[in-house]
């Protein structure tokens, strides 16, 4: 792994790497998506983004997988796990561990 890279295709194929990228992409695009499709739930957006990230990572590592339908099906199954992990990142960012509820309110 090169030290100058933040993400690699191999890292995006992992739960942590894919979840982090999905979290960032959803956070930066959900305002735009809300204007285009206001009824699209953010959770579903996260699953779609995760599916795309996982497919791209798999195809970048193994280009012969383009014609294998199992890659797409497995990426969809894993997309739900990655989206759930990204959702937990969002939850922890808004409610950090150790803070009492309502501590910042006056």
């Amino acid at each position: 792994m090169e030290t100058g890279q933040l993400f690699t295709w191999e890292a995006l194929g992992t739960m942590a790497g894919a979840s982090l990228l999905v979290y960032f992409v959803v956070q930066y695009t959900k305002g735009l998506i809300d204007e285009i499709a206001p009824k699209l739930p953010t959770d579903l957006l996260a699953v779609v983004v995760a599916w795309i990230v996982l497919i791209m990572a798999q195809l970048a590592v193994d280009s012969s997988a383009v014609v294998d339908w199992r890659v797409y099906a497995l990426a969809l199954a894993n997309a739900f796990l990655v989206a759930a992990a990204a959702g937990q990142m969002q939850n922890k960012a808004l409610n950090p561990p150790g803070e009492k509820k309502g501590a910042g309110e006056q």
Side-chain angles (χ1 to χ4, degrees):
M1 181 170 127
E2 292 181 32
T3 58
Q5 291 182 335
L6 297 176
F7 282 115
T8 63
W9 290 114
E10 290 81 14
L12 286 178
T14 67
M15 180 75 142
S19 298
L20 185 61
L21 184 60
V22 167
Y23 171 72
F24 287 136
V25 170
V26 169
Q27 289 306 306
Y28 281 103
T29 61
K30 73 179 178 180
L32 176 65
I33 298 298
D34 284 344
E35 290 180 15
I36 296 170
K39 297 200 183 242
L40 180 68
T42 304
D43 292 340
L44 185 58
L45 172 62
V47 170
V48 171
V49 170
W51 187 59
I52 292 168
V53 166
L54 291 170
I55 287 175
M56 287 176 50
Q58 181 64 40
L59 295 179
V61 172
D62 180 16
S63 61
S64 66
V66 172
V67 294
D68 192 358
W69 65 269
R70 296 173 296 181
V71 169
Y72 302 96
L74 189 59
L76 181 61
N78 287 331
F80 285 95
L81 297 173
V82 169
Q88 280 299 93
M89 287 180 189
Q90 168 70 9
N91 186 35
K92 294 300 179 191
L94 295 177
N95 304 309
E99 272 193 18
K100 294 181 181 171
K101 291 193 180 214
E105 298 175 8
Q106 295 184 5

